[in-house]
Amino acid sequence: MNLAHLSPAATLLGLAALLVGLFLLQRLRTRHRERVVPTTMFWRQAAEESRARVLVERFRHLLAFLLVALVAALVWLALAGLELERGAPALERIYLLDGSAQTAARGRFGELLARLASHLEKEGAEPVIFCGARPRTLLERHEDPRLLRLRARGLAPEACAPAIERTVRELLPTFKDGRPRELVLVGAAQPPAEFLRLLPEGVTLTALPCGSAAERPAIGALGASPALSLEHARADVLIEVQGPRDGASLLVDLEGAPLAPVLAGRDDGCERYLIENLEAAGGLLTAALAGEDGAVLDRASLVLPRRALIRVSVAQELRPRLLPALVHDPAVLLVEDGADVACVLRGAGTGPAAATLDFVERRAQEAAFLVSGAEERAALEEALGAIDLGAIERVPDASSAPAAHEEITAAFAQGTGGRRVSLWLDLLLADYDFTQTAAFPVFLGAALRWLAGADPHLPFVAAGAPVRTGSERWRDEPGREFFAAGGLFTPPRAGLYFAPDGARLACVLPPSDAAPKEAAGAADEEELPPGDARPHLPTWLGLIAFLLLLAEWRLWRSGRIP
Amino acid sequence: MHDYFDARFLERLRNLRILARRVARGGRRAEQRSLDLGSGIEFHDHRQYSPRDEFRAIDWNVYRRLGKVFVRLFEEQEDLPLYLLPDVSASMFVEDVPRARAGLRCALALAAISMNQHDRVAVFPCADGLLAPLRPVTGKNRLLDVASFLARLEPGGETDLRKALRAFSCLGLRPGLVALISDFFDPAGGEALAAALGRLRHRLLLVQLVRASDESPPFSGEVRFVDAESGDARDVTVDRAALLRYGAAYAAFQRALTACARSRGAPLLRLDVEQDEVAQLAALFESRKYLA
């Protein structure tokens, strides 16, 4: 609530206070000492009424008081009575604008935005929340609906899954006043019935009719996953095409080399294509839908992960324990020399810069597992989680410590050398052998991948979500530069990003209108949306108050009121 | 109202005398000189004989020396009718020391003077017209009758001197001396008063009852002035500027009244109601410092 938008109760309260104040002012009069004199004819000539006294005289006059009270009441209602004009609706309506990747196709997002804006300009402003990678409020209650168009400038769908359910879950704790609310979905599909049943009483979910999707086909999804062939250095790519094809052809290329997608399935107007065993070498895969005339109807890009085999050398003493797990890891190539990662005992035979998996004496380190490297603490902490050491304690076999009452802990430490993961030799004793637990292959695979700096497989990179990269400097397609402290980069929006070392990052599914959008800023006057032609109650109230003032002026001029 | 005429005041009235330069013909014998010639004892002049003159008046000594018939003229001693017109409008009875007190005492003083000279005195109280009068009385022993009449007067309505004087002039009284005693706070203004006075065939004496606060009122701040006669209320912030404007308005009123008296050839006595009336009258008559 603010001064411009008072609730009906507050408006009436203010109106009553205003009238009471005016009444008191009307009663307020200059206290004169009364003197009976033989004649007042000299005082009549001498007296000149001051303006204040004239005001008081005016208030004493009934007609003048009524006019002033009416004018004041109208001005008050014009200032505070905006909620009154709609009869103080008990139902609060919140619009949830889908900003997920699926609305990027065929200009769907623009259509949704235009539909919502015109709807609000007719019905009045209600809160609008953009449901992208992060929910954001685009319009507050009672703001001018035209602000929505201005704030949506530069706004584009983000590379994320539909976030309606997540947004609703975040909103629900804020509904504490028991007021009935209607959540209106704009463009998003209705959540499943299980979710709807969990909604509290008084909260309903409806959808704003936005018509069907555009008639032309579009790429609805594009993603990469580890290859089903289990080859570590390869990936499979899924392409989803929505809408009627109408002769449009799907063209896919990897760094310019055309690929042949294979139709994997079709349902509900949606076709899915699969490209298997692509080399995961960081190549840029582009999928485009071309019409019969060759015009590109839609296009999407994806940077494939960079995944090479990890060359691992194992010390002789450790081979009986480690090789059973290593030979089954498709990412590992056992070598004698030139290894990316060396598995050693007590640090023997390793250089200071080499990445090592070291088995050390218990006294050498306090923690059972120690991750160290030259990276920042945050990166090491992230690595600690990446190699899944936290899960070891939850493995029943591993939780039974070799020594009674001795806690198995994991830690990280900053160093100056290369990456290193060290663990106690005691974990390999005969009565408790960590390598025999189910957790060991998981730990070993993750540790080797981190030690080798293997590119992690990212199912997608969402705009607004941080991703750890190997570079601190990035630029987007228009050339704007971004600084990612510690390699933690947060792409601001969907699109391709480039690092100086040649690395690429794609927030998949950029908007179909791929022209770069500027951030929302001050709008040019000529771009302002057309004005609202509906009668505006505060304006009319102000106009009536002005006319009453004119009438009062005429009455005063004619001597009807003092 | 009886407090107005105490014994000391009545005693002091004995010393007052007033002389009139002219009196009208046909009245009773009194101590005033008249233009009627013949029956008096004080020689005045000669004139040629004309038919119907009394033979007793022929100055035979002149006839013997000049051979022409002249008659001797003597001044007649006649009375001077005094018509007292005290203002008894409501404005005369307000304030701590009401103007009516001084006005009625002044009227009684004038009556005493006249009655000491065997003149006849009539009282015509006026407010928004003429009220019930006191018929002409004469003789020194009738002064208490006049005092009693004056003491019974009640406050009247609003001041309307024009109406009162018009009614008085219609009475057709023998010309005499009219003493109009008032504060002259007539809403009709000075011009109306002058017109009404112009119709009177009598000698005129104007007695204006004033007080020092009329010229410089002792008010300040927010004051609501209520007119004693009309009840009209006027809210005034009495500050220096307002007092200056009031002073200017009052001065204009005084100038208009003086001009009115002067144009009529009537003396204008300004009597301070807060001072001793007898002393003021004596001083004024003795010094003849009339304003008009």
Side-chain angles (χ1 to χ4, degrees):
Chain A
M1 186 179 77
N2 55 45
L3 183 61
H5 309 103
L6 296 178
S7 66
T11 301
L12 292 178
L13 200 61
L15 188 60
L18 189 65
L19 292 179
V20 168
L22 284 173
F23 178 74
L24 291 178
L25 189 59
Q26 190 266 344
R27 299 301 303 169
L28 181 66
R29 57 186 64 181
T30 307
R31 298 296 176 188
H32 293 91
R33 287 173 289 125
E34 194 167 285
R35 293 289 182 269
V36 179
V37 291
T39 181
T40 56
M41 59 183 183
F42 307 126
W43 291 114
R44 278 201 301 271
Q45 299 174 48
E48 285 184 359
E49 298 286 354
S50 66
R51 294 180 67 84
R53 186 171 298 102
V54 169
L55 179 65
V56 172
E57 290 287 345
R58 288 165 68 83
F59 273 109
R60 282 187 215 156
H61 195 277
L62 179 62
L63 181 59
F65 171 71
L66 288 178
L67 280 172
V68 169
L70 194 56
V71 168
L74 288 173
V75 171
W76 172 252
L77 288 176
L79 286 175
L82 295 184
E83 289 195 3
L84 290 178
E85 59 183 297
R86 282 192 298 277
L91 179 68
E92 184 182 12
R93 191 171 285 125
I94 301 174
Y95 291 87
L96 303 177
L97 175 63
D98 188 7
S100 64
Q102 68 177 11
T103 61
R106 305 177 300 256
R108 176 70 170 161
F109 184 75
E111 293 173 0
L112 295 177
L113 198 57
R115 173 76 182 91
L116 177 60
S118 63
H119 174 76
L120 293 180
E121 286 166 9
K122 286 179 183 174
E123 301 296 327
E126 298 284 359
V128 175
I129 297 177
F130 172 75
C131 303
R134 282 181 298 118
R136 277 161 283 177
T137 300
L138 290 181
L139 196 67
E140 293 282 3
R141 187 174 176 81
H142 291 304
E143 284 189 319
D144 194 317
R146 289 175 290 179
L147 288 174
L148 180 63
R149 294 182 190 272
L150 299 178
R151 290 174 182 167
R153 291 185 63 200
L155 193 66
E158 295 175 344
C160 63
I164 295 296
E165 294 181 28
R166 184 185 58 184
T167 304
V168 172
R169 277 196 298 271
E170 292 181 7
L171 282 175
L172 288 179
T174 65
F175 299 163
K176 293 177 180 176
D177 54 2
R179 186 176 178 181
R181 286 177 172 84
E182 180 184 3
L183 304 177
V184 183
L185 306 179
V186 183
Q190 190 84 354
E194 294 79 11
F195 180 80
L196 296 179
R197 278 197 295 270
L198 295 177
L199 291 177
E201 188 178 357
V203 178
T204 57
L205 212 59
T206 62
L208 180 70
C210 296
S212 58
E215 295 302 321
R216 59 195 176 98
I219 298 174
L222 174 64
S225 65
L228 286 175
S229 63
L230 299 181
E231 292 187 55
H232 173 73
R234 293 190 176 276
D236 293 345
V237 170
L238 178 73
I239 305 171
E240 188 178 277
V241 178
Q242 297 174 341
R245 293 292 295 270
D246 292 337
S249 55
L250 176 63
L251 305 175
V252 183
D253 68 83
L254 178 61
E255 299 288 356
L259 301 174
V262 178
L263 183 63
R266 177 188 293 126
D267 62 355
D268 196 19
C270 176
E271 294 179 349
R272 296 184 184 82
Y273 293 88
L274 196 62
I275 305 174
E276 297 180 312
N277 283 330
L278 288 174
E279 185 180 6
L284 178 63
L285 184 140
T286 302
L289 275 173
E292 290 179 331
D293 55 355
V296 175
L297 303 177
D298 197 7
R299 179 164 48 206
S301 298
L302 173 68
V303 175
L304 295 179
R306 189 185 298 274
R307 312 185 74 186
L309 290 176
I310 303 171
R311 298 189 298 176
V312 179
S313 65
V314 183
Q316 194 65 36
E317 299 85 346
L318 295 174
R319 286 186 177 179
R321 305 293 181 94
L322 302 186
L323 284 183
L326 288 176
V327 296
H328 291 97
D329 191 341
V332 172
L333 177 63
L334 292 171
V335 295
E336 294 292 336
D337 299 315
D340 299 321
V341 179
C343 301
V344 299
L345 186 64
R346 302 184 187 90
T350 59
T356 57
L357 176 64
D358 198 358
F359 290 82
V360 300
E361 296 293 344
R362 174 191 290 260
R363 60 179 178 274
Q365 62 188 44
E366 195 170 322
F369 298 88
L370 182 64
V371 175
S372 61
E375 290 85 351
E376 294 181 350
R377 290 175 58 86
L380 292 173
E381 191 173 11
E382 190 176 322
L384 195 64
I387 62 179
D388 212 19
L389 289 180
I392 291 175
E393 293 179 342
R394 296 195 295 271
V395 178
D397 291 343
S399 62
S400 53
H405 309 298
E406 191 170 17
E407 186 180 5
I408 295 178
T409 59
F412 63 89
Q414 275 185 292
T416 55
R419 293 180 175 180
R420 182 169 177 264
V421 175
S422 54
L423 64 162
W424 289 342
L425 265 175
D426 290 1
L427 296 173
L428 306 180
L429 295 178
D431 56 344
Y432 173 74
D433 191 349
F434 176 47
T435 61
Q436 299 303 309
T437 67
F440 183 70
V442 179
F443 159 73
L444 188 60
L448 292 177
R449 282 163 176 76
W450 178 73
L451 288 169
D455 198 3
H457 184 88
L458 300 173
F460 64 88
V461 176
V467 58
R468 186 156 301 282
T469 65
S471 176
E472 289 190 333
R473 296 195 176 278
W474 290 88
R475 62 179 174 81
D476 61 5
E477 289 176 293
R480 286 176 298 195
E481 293 192 346
F482 302 91
F483 179 73
L488 196 65
F489 177 48
T490 304
R493 58 175 60 87
L496 280 175
Y497 296 87
F498 307 92
D501 59 1
R504 286 174 292 190
L505 191 65
C507 284
V508 293
L509 295 176
S512 57
D513 50 344
K517 300 277 189 179
E518 296 298 328
D524 295 332
E525 288 295 327
E526 62 272 18
E527 294 181 359
L528 283 173
D532 192 351
R534 290 176 300 153
H536 193 232
L537 184 59
T539 304
W540 282 109
L541 290 177
L543 192 58
I544 293 173
F546 177 72
L547 292 176
L548 284 175
L549 282 176
L550 282 181
E552 187 193 26
W553 182 76
R554 287 294 301 270
L555 290 173
W556 173 74
R557 293 277 294 180
S558 63
R560 301 281 298 278
I561 60 175
Chain B
M1 193 173 292
H2 292 84
D3 296 342
Y4 294 172
F5 312 125
D6 51 41
R8 183 171 179 274
F9 171 72
L10 296 175
E11 179 63 26
R12 296 181 63 198
L13 293 183
R14 294 181 180 176
N15 300 323
L16 282 177
R17 290 288 186 276
I18 184 170
L19 298 177
R21 289 182 294 116
R22 296 283 188 272
V23 293
R25 298 169 186 268
R28 294 181 63 251
R29 292 175 182 272
E31 295 182 356
Q32 309 301 325
R33 288 177 298 179
S34 169
L35 288 180
D36 277 353
L37 302 175
S39 58
I41 58 175
E42 190 171 346
F43 174 77
H44 178 70
D45 204 353
H46 288 93
R47 68 170 169 81
Q48 284 190 324
Y49 174 81
S50 63
R52 286 182 290 185
D53 281 341
E54 292 187 10
F55 286 105
R56 290 183 305 168
I58 295 174
D59 191 339
W60 296 107
N61 292 331
V62 174
Y63 175 76
R64 190 173 53 225
R65 284 189 291 171
L66 301 179
K68 294 182 180 179
V69 180
F70 284 86
V71 294
R72 288 180 294 182
L73 300 178
F74 296 89
E75 286 191 342
E76 182 79 28
Q77 298 291 318
E78 292 188 348
D79 69 337
L80 175 66
L82 175 63
Y83 305 115
L84 293 170
L85 272 69
D87 181 3
V88 290
S89 63
S91 65
M92 297 290 289
F93 292 89
V94 295
E95 300 167 305
D96 292 339
V97 181
R99 294 169 202 257
R101 176 180 181 274
L104 296 179
R105 287 166 71 116
C106 176
L108 188 61
L110 294 177
I113 293 169
S114 293
M115 296 172 84
N116 278 342
Q117 299 172 158
H118 307 289
D119 294 327
R120 287 186 296 179
V121 174
V123 182
F124 297 89
C126 62
D128 51 354
L130 281 184
L131 305 180
L134 175 67
R135 295 295 177 183
V137 294
T138 184
K140 297 177 183 178
N141 55 351
R142 302 294 300 276
L143 181 61
L144 288 180
D145 294 343
V146 178
S148 176
F149 177 81
L150 293 175
R152 288 196 304 269
L153 290 176
E154 296 289 338
E158 299 185 30
T159 304
D160 192 345
L161 295 177
R162 183 175 51 178
K163 185 177 177 183
L165 291 174
R166 186 183 301 126
F168 179 77
S169 62
C170 292
L171 294 177
L173 298 174
R174 186 164 65 89
L177 176 62
V178 171
L180 179 57
I181 306 167
S182 172
D183 55 11
F184 294 100
F185 292 151
D186 189 345
E191 293 181 358
L193 177 62
L197 292 176
R199 284 193 289 270
L200 285 181
R201 295 186 297 109
H202 305 274
R203 297 292 175 182
L204 193 58
L205 171 63
L206 301 180
V207 180
Q208 183 188 13
L209 303 171
V210 300
R211 63 184 352 132
S213 60
D214 288 344
E215 191 169 3
S216 53
F219 301 120
S220 64
E222 302 293 336
V223 184
R224 167 169 297 166
F225 293 105
V226 179
D227 194 302
E229 296 181 352
S230 65
D232 173 47
R234 179 68 52 173
D235 295 338
V236 180
T237 301
V238 182
D239 52 11
R240 180 179 174 81
L243 287 174
L244 288 175
R245 288 192 295 271
Y246 174 92
Y250 184 74
F253 164 76
Q254 293 287 65
R255 284 195 300 272
L257 185 60
T258 304
C260 173
R262 189 165 289 155
S263 66
R264 185 63 175 76
L268 173 60
L269 307 184
R270 288 205 169 116
L271 202 65
D272 191 337
V273 300
E274 293 172 342
Q275 304 297 326
D276 181 41
E277 302 83 6
V278 176
Q280 290 185 81
L281 286 173
L284 285 171
F285 289 147
E286 289 172 2
S287 65
R288 292 181 175 267
K289 290 181 179 177
Y290 307 140
L291 294 177

